[in-house]
Amino acid sequence: MGLTEFAPFDAILVAAAAPAVPKPLLAQLVDGGRIILPVGDAEYQELQLIEKRGDAFPASHLEACRFVPLVGYHGWQEPPKR
């Protein structure tokens, strides 16, 4: 969910893989802000760099990776089976 009470942020680093980019984190970026996070399923993820440009969020795919799962409302409801 992020830390709305301290937002907006210039940068956010997520160290757990999410099935999709959590929208609350995107909303907490300043214009020009960046977020880096792994996105994908339990077996294959891509490290993504996403920038906020007005209402757009262009993403760059940096490289394949494998992180621990992000568990919770904007991640998996429980850790994915491996």
Side-chain angles (χ1 to χ4, degrees), residues 12 21-30 35 50 52 57:
I12 298 172
V21 180
K23 291 186 191 310
L25 296 182
L26 295 175
Q28 293 176 42
L29 288 172
V30 297
I35 182 170
I50 301 163
K52 181 175 182 180
F57 294 93

Side-chain angles (χ1 to χ4, degrees), residues 50-72:
I50 301 163
E51 287 188 68
K52 181 175 182 180
R53 294 186 187 156
D55 292 331
F57 294 93
S60 301
H61 300 272
L62 303 178
E63 64 182 281
C65 60
R66 191 166 178 183
F67 280 65
V68 297
L70 180 69
V71 178

